Amino acid sequence: MIRASDVSVGDALPPLTLRITRADLVRYAGASGDFNPIHWNERFAREVGLPGVIAHGMLTMGLAGRIVTEWAGDPGAVVEYGVRFGRPVPVPDDDEGALVEVTGKVTKVLEDGTFKVNVTASFEGKSVLGGASARVRLP
Amino acid sequence: MPLDQSYVGRSYPPSPPYEVGREKIREFADAVGEPSPAHRDPEAARALGHPDVIAPPTFAVVLSLKINDVLVGDPELGLDYSRVVHGDQVFVHHRPITAGDRLSVVLHVDGITSRMGNDMLALRAEITTEDGEPVTTAKSTLVVRGEES
């Protein structure tokens, strides 16, 4: 697990490439209890004006959070994590799925000694989570 | 029709306790691709100083989604959930959610604003143990799309 003394403002976290497939959406629906049909039913998604089945925003948030938890080494180190949901991530009905690129950077040391980490997640070069950041308490 | 402003400041009675299971944590960690053994192996979690396996940082959504049902089921609020989009979400963890926790949720309506024909509903789910120990504060904004959009 990384120690506070090893961290400086400006540090970049190891980037992640995430793949989201239809199978991931089904698994997340079951685990989270979010069975909104826009995340699994193409016909329904199009009827409500979406380009097709889209990923749960909370799934994208959860997946992207891994950049912080893996870097910190203890998922319990994340004392705060927040995002705004921007663009949806359409997930095609194939094995390739949608690729989301995640980056993270330490931007601040707060008064209580926690570190603020800004997170970006982009799909086809465009941000899908706005203002995403985590606050991390390190030993 | 805009949402009733008198709902601002309202809170709902605490939910019945939700018991956090090890297997549920593992299932959620698998679903969000969190590889840490702290979600799966009690010994690994204890090595990091936790009393049992801990949940990933976004696990609290399982509880905050469930509590939103009280809004949907409140006929006086008149919330059309089919028009609802999740605008933002913040989790503040007072400590990690841990297997064996029995958690209760109190939902607060912190604000209702209208912007460009949409209603924005600011919600706060205070998640505590049955004894009232604060565990997680989950804040979210639900955007209720206007009729014409």
Side-chain angles (χ1 to χ4, degrees):
Chain A
M1 146 157 221
I2 197 164
R3 305 194 72 82
S5 53
D6 299 330
V7 176
S8 308
V9 169
D11 286 357
L13 279 56
L16 279 180
T17 300
L18 307 169
R19 184 185 297 280
I20 308 178
T21 66
R22 291 282 177 95
D24 296 321
L25 303 187
V26 174
R27 186 176 298 114
Y28 184 77
S32 67
D34 182 348
F35 296 104
N36 189 330
I38 60 175
H39 304 304
W40 51 269
N41 183 329
E42 188 87 23
R43 173 174 48 84
F44 184 91
R46 291 190 188 280
E47 274 172 16
V48 297
L50 292 167
V53 165
I54 61 167
H56 306 72
M58 284 301 310
L59 171 59
T60 309
M61 179 182 185
L63 288 164
R66 210 181 106 196
I67 195 169
V68 182
T69 53
E70 283 200 65
W71 168 77
D74 175 2
V78 177
V79 293
E80 183 170 339
Y81 180 34
V83 309
R84 280 197 315 276
F85 299 105
R87 285 185 187 78
V89 177
V91 178
D93 184 14
D94 61 25
D95 296 334
E96 297 300 307
L99 286 184
V100 175
E101 306 287 340
V102 184
T103 66
K105 193 177 191 177
V106 180
T107 54
K108 209 185 264 183
V109 185
L110 295 148
E111 275 181 19
D112 63 358
T114 56
F115 292 90
K116 186 174 183 222
V117 177
N118 282 4
V119 175
T120 71
S122 58
F123 170 73
E124 293 180 339
K126 289 178 182 154
S127 169
V128 292
L129 297 177
S133 73
R135 204 156 55 75
V136 184
R137 180 169 290 126
L138 298 172
Chain B
M1 202 171 71
L3 294 174
D4 182 352
Q5 278 288 338
S6 74
Y7 269 77
V8 176
R10 190 171 300 208
S11 58
Y12 289 86
S15 66
Y18 174 98
E19 188 162 327
V20 181
R22 284 182 184 163
E23 292 301 337
K24 184 66 192 181
I25 287 178
R26 177 202 300 267
E27 180 190 18
F28 192 88
D30 285 348
V32 293
E34 279 284 359
S36 172
H39 303 311
R40 297 169 174 85
D41 173 6
E43 283 310 313
R46 281 181 203 120
L48 291 168
H50 307 297
D52 203 323
V53 294
I54 60 166
T58 61
F59 179 86
V61 73
V62 173
L63 288 95
S64 60
L65 256 186
K66 233 189 258 288
I67 195 75
N68 284 351
D69 288 350
V70 303
L71 291 177
V72 181
D74 185 339
E76 284 173 26
L77 180 62
L79 179 66
D80 177 359
Y81 211 70
S82 71
R83 310 191 77 85
V84 166
V85 182
H86 203 168
D88 60 36
Q89 180 72 53
V90 179
F91 298 105
V92 179
H93 295 294
H94 313 294
R95 67 154 170 85
I97 293 177
T98 307
D101 280 341
R102 286 173 59 84
L103 301 175
S104 191
V105 190
V106 174
L107 182 69
H108 301 265
V109 178
D110 281 346
I112 296 175
T113 51
S114 289
R115 200 184 301 162
M116 294 186 296
N118 299 327
D119 278 334
M120 324 275 280
L121 195 55
L123 302 174
R124 176 168 45 91
E126 293 290 358
I127 302 175
T128 64
T129 63
E130 278 179 302
D131 303 331
E133 179 201 356
V135 177
T136 297
T137 302
K139 287 183 268 193
S140 59
T141 306
L142 299 185
V143 182
V144 192
R145 288 180 296 133
E147 302 283 341
E148 72 283 3
S149 61

